[in-house]
Amino acid sequence: MTTDSSLRSGPGTTGRRSSSSRDGRAGGAGGDGGGGRVHGHLPGREHLPARQPVAAASAVPVLDVVVPVYNEEKDLHPCVVRLHAHLARTFPYPFRITVADNASTDSTPAVAAALAAELPGVRYVRLEEKGRGRALRSVWSASDAPVLAYMDVDLSTDLNALLPLVAPLISGHSDLAIGSRLARSSRVVRGTKREFISRAYNLILRSSLAAGFSDAQCGFKAIRREVAERLLPMVEDSGWFFDTELLVLAERAGLRIHEVPVDWIDDPDSTVHIVRTATEDLKGVWRVGRALAVGALPLDRLARPFGDDPRDRALTGVERGLARQLIGFCAVGVLSTLFYLALYSLFRLGVGPQVANGGALLVSAVANTAANRRLTFGVRGRSGAVRHQAQGLVVFAIGLALTSGSLAALGTASGSPSHGTELAVLITANLAATVLRFLLLRAWVFPSRACSEPDFEPDSDSDSDPDSEDVR
């Protein structure tokens, strides 16, 4: 059963007309503002329109605050009344409060229905299955508000943080926003046990999932609707782990998460079962971590943040991706050097130092060029592979001249140097050759990938051609 009251803003609010366009542009992929590419994957972030007279306000609210409840007949009425009064007094846009009842068995449905009839901008939605994540997914997926939020019914978080929470989403600066009880400037009153559990859980997230956000489980979050439309289908959990999974996927996809320090007072009458919730959360961490490790999640759909990203602009004369290429080249270089030294030591058992050096360098050079072609400069497919290997052999010849010259100089100076001395000289010579190799690969072998092509490519027909060169 769903009961909807008027969706008008509460008394005292200042209406603003919501729209899907800005500066005369229709919603969808934002222009790059600099002659760059226009991507069709995601709509651009847009600031909601300027202030309009109350009479001209749209019936569609700007903010939809969801309050998920289960058997909250005692706290529901004072919570919604207080929240409604706060929004009516301080929020400058039309708003809606949605009470999402998770299959309550007490008088919560009657209280919620009475609130929907009593207060403008309040509605009641009944779900026949339990689960906070299920309730948020259901209401958020059906909402027409451009900014979606939720908060716990106990209102442990100070409501003065609500406007700072949603402001970056309204302006288009961020994609998601979360309240944090663990930020340095947060002011929190709660028991030692809950404090320890919260910090331990977030430490687990940082160590296992490399989470960068500080507080996954604070019941005070917001998201832009177009972001929710793409993220929610990827979130499997329907319970308390829903928040964490949503944030981890958003962060891994490169979306912008805004954190707001909050003032928070623990609710001693909370009905949350700590042990059961912690167990389910740990199972969720394992599931998501495994999915990320094997690449089972289609995060490429959200590979770029929403909106006009300056990294997507095709600017001439500006070199791109140098830091990423250096990291890839160094990783390949370390592995290639170890491979080269192992081959040299193996070949040295049966031949002289010059022959061993030449053979080891030739084999490792072919492997090095292939690895750098794919991993460092992002070239896929067979097209141009022979030419790249030929150019790589020229680079190899330069490296051979440096290392062989170093060995010859060592032999002239020392006569019969030890194997350890030979290795030390070769390592030094290879460091010099490595620097020169990177410069030649970047400027000569793969110049278009290094300097002229952007780091991100939209989907194109070339993906279906196994012989085409694809840069990701």
Side-chain angles (χ1 to χ4, degrees):
M1 177 183 70
T2 300
T3 305
D4 294 319
S5 73
S6 170
L7 302 184
R8 294 178 290 107
S9 60
T13 58
T14 302
R16 297 196 183 193
R17 176 171 52 87
S18 65
S19 172
S20 60
S21 63
R22 177 183 62 177
D23 301 332
R25 295 178 299 177
D32 62 15
R37 303 171 186 265
V38 177
H39 300 291
H41 300 289
L42 303 171
R45 295 191 193 100
E46 295 186 355
H47 193 299
L48 298 181
R51 182 185 302 273
Q52 298 291 333
V54 176
S58 169
V60 177
V62 169
L63 173 67
D64 192 347
V65 183
V66 181
V67 182
V69 293
Y70 173 72
N71 289 348
E72 296 287 355
E73 59 183 3
K74 176 182 176 182
D75 295 332
L76 180 56
H77 186 275
C79 160
V80 174
V81 169
R82 178 182 164 199
L83 175 59
H84 187 276
H86 177 83
L87 288 171
R89 185 178 68 256
T90 65
F91 194 69
Y93 291 92
F95 64 83
R96 176 195 297 151
I97 300 172
T98 301
V99 179
D101 175 21
N102 295 277
S104 293
T105 56
D106 62 1
S107 61
T108 295
V111 175
L115 285 167
E118 172 188 349
L119 299 174
V122 175
R123 70 169 180 168
Y124 162 55
V125 175
R126 167 78 176 184
L127 290 91
E128 298 303 330
E129 295 181 88
K130 293 176 59 176
R132 181 178 69 173
R134 179 177 288 106
L136 293 177
R137 185 199 314 277
S138 176
V139 177
W140 281 355
S141 298
S143 180
D144 54 356
V147 178
L148 312 169
Y150 95 89
M151 62 181 59
D152 292 336
V153 69
D154 55 19
L155 295 186
S156 294
T157 305
D158 182 12
L159 291 178
N160 286 325
L162 182 56
L163 186 55
L165 181 81
V166 301
L169 309 187
I170 293 174
S171 70
H173 175 270
S174 300
D175 304 302
L176 299 92
I178 65 174
S180 175
R181 300 162 295 184
L182 303 181
R184 187 178 300 274
S185 57
S186 298
R187 291 174 287 191
V188 176
V189 178
R190 62 176 166 181
T192 304
K193 182 174 71 173
R194 284 183 175 269
E195 180 76 12
F196 173 78
I197 292 174
S198 179
R199 292 189 178 275
Y201 179 64
N202 283 280
L203 180 61
I204 291 173
L205 293 181
R206 288 177 179 271
S207 59
S208 61
L209 299 179
F213 45 86
S214 66
D215 191 351
Q217 290 288 29
C218 181
F220 195 70
K221 295 182 176 68
I223 185 172
R224 286 179 67 96
R225 185 183 65 203
E226 67 267 24
V227 181
E229 289 173 352
R230 288 160 177 81
L231 272 180
L232 292 180
M234 302 183 190
V235 180
E236 292 185 19
D237 192 81
S238 59
W240 292 96
F241 187 69
F242 173 89
D243 302 50
T244 302
E245 187 171 357
L246 183 77
L247 291 175
V248 169
L249 298 186
E251 187 175 62
R252 288 298 185 95
L255 302 183
R256 183 171 288 164
I257 301 174
H258 175 72
E259 293 199 18
V260 177
V262 298
D263 297 342
W264 195 85
I265 300 177
D266 188 19
D267 178 14
D269 298 324
S270 175
T271 58
V272 177
H273 194 289
I274 296 178
V275 176
R276 182 171 63 244
T277 301
T279 302
E280 294 300 320
D281 285 346
L282 291 177
K283 291 180 181 178
V285 169
W286 168 256
R287 174 177 54 80
V288 172
R290 182 177 57 183
L292 290 173
V294 301
L297 296 171
L299 296 181
D300 56 310
R301 300 177 189 171
L302 300 173
R304 305 296 280 182
F306 282 69
D308 177 24
D309 193 320
R311 294 172 295 179
D312 292 337
R313 300 178 186 176
L315 302 177
T316 58
V318 179
E319 294 192 355
R320 309 286 299 279
L322 177 60
R324 177 183 57 78
Q325 291 172 0
L326 277 173
I327 294 174
F329 181 80
C330 289
V332 171
V334 169
L335 296 177
S336 297
T337 300
L338 295 175
F339 182 50
Y340 161 78
L341 292 175
L343 287 176
Y344 176 81
S345 299
L346 179 63
F347 293 162
R348 189 68 177 85
L349 297 176
V351 298
Q354 292 290 2
V355 176
N357 174 64
L361 198 57
L362 176 61
V363 175
S364 61
V366 172
N368 181 277
T369 300
N372 276 311
R373 181 177 187 269
R374 176 65 181 86
L375 301 177
T376 303
F377 299 99
V379 180
R380 297 178 179 176
R382 295 185 298 271
S383 178
V386 175
R387 174 173 56 84
H388 293 154
Q389 282 292 351
Q391 291 173 308
L393 289 177
V394 175
V395 178
F396 150 75
I398 297 175
L400 177 63
L402 284 174
T403 54
S404 297
S406 299
L407 281 176
L410 177 64
T412 301
S414 302
S416 298
S418 66
H419 181 63
T421 303
E422 287 180 353
L423 290 181
V425 170
L426 285 174
I427 290 173
T428 303
N430 266 286
L431 288 176
T434 296
V435 175
L436 182 59
R437 184 183 303 120
F438 176 75
L439 296 176
L440 289 173
L441 289 176
R442 180 175 170 84
W444 179 47
V445 183
F446 308 106
S448 61
R449 278 84 197 165
C451 303
S452 63
E453 291 189 13
D455 294 331
F456 174 75
E457 291 285 346
D459 293 337
S460 64
D461 293 336
S462 64
D463 292 340
S464 60
D465 183 3
D467 295 328
S468 65
E469 296 181 10
D470 185 17
V471 182
R472 291 291 180 189

mmCIF file of all heavy atoms in Angstrom, residues 207-227:
data_model
loop_
_atom_site.group_PDB
_atom_site.id
_atom_site.type_symbol
_atom_site.label_atom_id
_atom_site.label_comp_id
_atom_site.label_asym_id
_atom_site.label_seq_id
_atom_site.Cartn_x
_atom_site.Cartn_y
_atom_site.Cartn_z
ATOM 1 N N SER A 207 41.450 -1.205 4.952
ATOM 2 C CA SER A 207 42.512 -2.184 4.712
ATOM 3 C C SER A 207 42.130 -3.228 3.667
ATOM 4 O O SER A 207 42.989 -3.702 2.922
ATOM 5 C CB SER A 207 42.881 -2.877 6.027
ATOM 6 O OG SER A 207 41.748 -3.530 6.590
ATOM 7 N N SER A 208 40.852 -3.602 3.609
ATOM 8 C CA SER A 208 40.447 -4.668 2.691
ATOM 9 C C SER A 208 39.918 -4.159 1.357
ATOM 10 O O SER A 208 40.162 -4.780 0.315
ATOM 11 C CB SER A 208 39.373 -5.537 3.354
ATOM 12 O OG SER A 208 38.216 -4.771 3.661
ATOM 13 N N LEU A 209 39.185 -3.050 1.361
ATOM 14 C CA LEU A 209 38.592 -2.521 0.132
ATOM 15 C C LEU A 209 39.195 -1.193 -0.297
ATOM 16 O O LEU A 209 38.700 -0.575 -1.242
ATOM 17 C CB LEU A 209 37.074 -2.362 0.319
ATOM 18 C CG LEU A 209 36.290 -3.642 0.617
ATOM 19 C CD1 LEU A 209 34.798 -3.331 0.801
ATOM 20 C CD2 LEU A 209 36.480 -4.666 -0.493
ATOM 21 N N ALA A 210 40.236 -0.749 0.419
ATOM 22 C CA ALA A 210 40.904 0.518 0.101
ATOM 23 C C ALA A 210 39.926 1.681 0.081
ATOM 24 O O ALA A 210 40.022 2.580 -0.757
ATOM 25 C CB ALA A 210 41.644 0.419 -1.238
ATOM 26 N N ALA A 211 38.959 1.672 1.009
ATOM 27 C CA ALA A 211 37.957 2.740 1.062
ATOM 28 C C ALA A 211 38.608 4.043 1.502
ATOM 29 O O ALA A 211 39.403 4.077 2.444
ATOM 30 C CB ALA A 211 36.838 2.352 2.020
ATOM 31 N N GLY A 212 38.247 5.128 0.845
ATOM 32 C CA GLY A 212 38.793 6.430 1.192
ATOM 33 C C GLY A 212 37.864 7.265 2.043
ATOM 34 O O GLY A 212 38.289 8.265 2.626
ATOM 35 N N PHE A 213 36.582 6.891 2.137
ATOM 36 C CA PHE A 213 35.637 7.640 2.959
ATOM 37 C C PHE A 213 35.809 7.223 4.414
ATOM 38 O O PHE A 213 36.284 6.131 4.720
ATOM 39 C CB PHE A 213 34.209 7.415 2.478
ATOM 40 C CG PHE A 213 33.883 5.982 2.194
ATOM 41 C CD1 PHE A 213 33.449 5.127 3.192
ATOM 42 C CD2 PHE A 213 34.016 5.469 0.910
ATOM 43 C CE1 PHE A 213 33.151 3.803 2.929
ATOM 44 C CE2 PHE A 213 33.727 4.140 0.632
ATOM 45 C CZ PHE A 213 33.297 3.314 1.645
ATOM 46 N N SER A 214 35.383 8.087 5.325
ATOM 47 C CA SER A 214 35.713 7.866 6.735
ATOM 48 C C SER A 214 34.623 7.154 7.529
ATOM 49 O O SER A 214 34.923 6.526 8.540
ATOM 50 C CB SER A 214 36.040 9.200 7.409
ATOM 51 O OG SER A 214 34.892 10.038 7.453
ATOM 52 N N ASP A 215 33.360 7.245 7.112
ATOM 53 C CA ASP A 215 32.276 6.685 7.935
ATOM 54 C C ASP A 215 31.219 6.093 7.023
ATOM 55 O O ASP A 215 30.416 6.818 6.428
ATOM 56 C CB ASP A 215 31.682 7.775 8.828
ATOM 57 C CG ASP A 215 30.755 7.212 9.898
ATOM 58 O OD1 ASP A 215 30.437 6.015 9.840
ATOM 59 O OD2 ASP A 215 30.350 7.973 10.795
ATOM 60 N N ALA A 216 31.207 4.763 6.925
ATOM 61 C CA ALA A 216 30.303 4.100 5.984
ATOM 62 C C ALA A 216 28.887 3.967 6.513
ATOM 63 O O ALA A 216 27.927 3.960 5.747
ATOM 64 C CB ALA A 216 30.840 2.711 5.633
ATOM 65 N N GLN A 217 28.705 3.876 7.825
ATOM 66 C CA GLN A 217 27.412 3.474 8.366
ATOM 67 C C GLN A 217 26.643 4.587 9.050
ATOM 68 O O GLN A 217 25.612 4.321 9.660
ATOM 69 C CB GLN A 217 27.612 2.317 9.363
ATOM 70 C CG GLN A 217 28.017 1.001 8.700
ATOM 71 C CD GLN A 217 26.874 0.363 7.929
ATOM 72 O OE1 GLN A 217 25.995 1.045 7.422
ATOM 73 N NE2 GLN A 217 26.880 -0.946 7.853
ATOM 74 N N CYS A 218 27.097 5.811 8.971
ATOM 75 C CA CYS A 218 26.309 6.915 9.530
ATOM 76 C C CYS A 218 25.006 7.042 8.742
ATOM 77 O O CYS A 218 25.010 7.148 7.511
ATOM 78 C CB CYS A 218 27.101 8.224 9.459
ATOM 79 S SG CYS A 218 26.214 9.644 10.142
ATOM 80 N N GLY A 219 23.869 7.020 9.446
ATOM 81 C CA GLY A 219 22.567 7.069 8.775
ATOM 82 C C GLY A 219 22.193 8.465 8.340
ATOM 83 O O GLY A 219 21.169 9.018 8.784
ATOM 84 N N PHE A 220 23.007 9.029 7.451
ATOM 85 C CA PHE A 220 22.817 10.415 7.031
ATOM 86 C C PHE A 220 23.547 10.580 5.701
ATOM 87 O O PHE A 220 24.714 10.939 5.655
ATOM 88 C CB PHE A 220 23.395 11.341 8.102
ATOM 89 C CG PHE A 220 22.968 12.778 7.994
ATOM 90 C CD1 PHE A 220 21.664 13.164 8.264
ATOM 91 C CD2 PHE A 220 23.886 13.752 7.649
ATOM 92 C CE1 PHE A 220 21.283 14.492 8.183
ATOM 93 C CE2 PHE A 220 23.513 15.092 7.566
ATOM 94 C CZ PHE A 220 22.211 15.461 7.836
ATOM 95 N N LYS A 221 22.835 10.311 4.586
ATOM 96 C CA LYS A 221 23.485 10.297 3.280
ATOM 97 C C LYS A 221 22.569 10.895 2.226
ATOM 98 O O LYS A 221 21.346 10.972 2.415
ATOM 99 C CB LYS A 221 23.868 8.874 2.879
ATOM 100 C CG LYS A 221 24.924 8.239 3.774
ATOM 101 C CD LYS A 221 25.278 6.860 3.284
ATOM 102 C CE LYS A 221 26.407 6.267 4.118
ATOM 103 N NZ LYS A 221 25.980 5.975 5.496
ATOM 104 N N ALA A 222 23.175 11.280 1.099
ATOM 105 C CA ALA A 222 22.406 11.831 -0.021
ATOM 106 C C ALA A 222 23.093 11.454 -1.325
ATOM 107 O O ALA A 222 24.302 11.188 -1.360
ATOM 108 C CB ALA A 222 22.278 13.348 0.101
ATOM 109 N N ILE A 223 22.299 11.434 -2.399
ATOM 110 C CA ILE A 223 22.815 11.061 -3.710
ATOM 111 C C ILE A 223 22.002 11.764 -4.783
ATOM 112 O O ILE A 223 20.802 12.022 -4.598
ATOM 113 C CB ILE A 223 22.738 9.519 -3.887
ATOM 114 C CG1 ILE A 223 23.392 9.074 -5.193
ATOM 115 C CG2 ILE A 223 21.281 9.033 -3.820
ATOM 116 C CD1 ILE A 223 23.520 7.557 -5.307
ATOM 117 N N ARG A 224 22.617 12.100 -5.871
ATOM 118 C CA ARG A 224 21.877 12.671 -7.002
ATOM 119 C C ARG A 224 21.110 11.555 -7.707
ATOM 120 O O ARG A 224 21.598 10.423 -7.813
ATOM 121 C CB ARG A 224 22.829 13.374 -7.973
ATOM 122 C CG ARG A 224 23.343 14.711 -7.443
ATOM 123 C CD ARG A 224 24.299 15.364 -8.422
ATOM 124 N NE ARG A 224 23.651 15.784 -9.651
ATOM 125 C CZ ARG A 224 23.196 17.003 -9.896
ATOM 126 N NH1 ARG A 224 23.297 17.932 -8.962
ATOM 127 N NH2 ARG A 224 22.649 17.313 -11.047
ATOM 128 N N ARG A 225 19.925 11.878 -8.205
ATOM 129 C CA ARG A 225 19.059 10.839 -8.758
ATOM 130 C C ARG A 225 19.688 10.142 -9.959
ATOM 131 O O ARG A 225 19.609 8.914 -10.076
ATOM 132 C CB ARG A 225 17.718 11.445 -9.175
ATOM 133 C CG ARG A 225 16.704 10.387 -9.647
ATOM 134 C CD ARG A 225 15.422 11.045 -10.120
ATOM 135 N NE ARG A 225 15.667 11.852 -11.312
ATOM 136 C CZ ARG A 225 14.902 12.867 -11.701
ATOM 137 N NH1 ARG A 225 13.865 13.220 -10.961
ATOM 138 N NH2 ARG A 225 15.184 13.539 -12.788
ATOM 139 N N GLU A 226 20.338 10.883 -10.865
ATOM 140 C CA GLU A 226 20.909 10.244 -12.041
ATOM 141 C C GLU A 226 22.074 9.326 -11.670
ATOM 142 O O GLU A 226 22.364 8.361 -12.368
ATOM 143 C CB GLU A 226 21.363 11.287 -13.072
ATOM 144 C CG GLU A 226 22.533 12.161 -12.633
ATOM 145 C CD GLU A 226 22.062 13.449 -11.982
ATOM 146 O OE1 GLU A 226 20.923 13.480 -11.473
ATOM 147 O OE2 GLU A 226 22.823 14.426 -11.984
ATOM 148 N N VAL A 227 22.736 9.616 -10.547
ATOM 149 C CA VAL A 227 23.773 8.711 -10.057
ATOM 150 C C VAL A 227 23.140 7.453 -9.482
ATOM 151 O O VAL A 227 23.595 6.335 -9.737
ATOM 152 C CB VAL A 227 24.639 9.419 -8.992
ATOM 153 C CG1 VAL A 227 25.737 8.490 -8.492
ATOM 154 C CG2 VAL A 227 25.257 10.697 -9.557
#
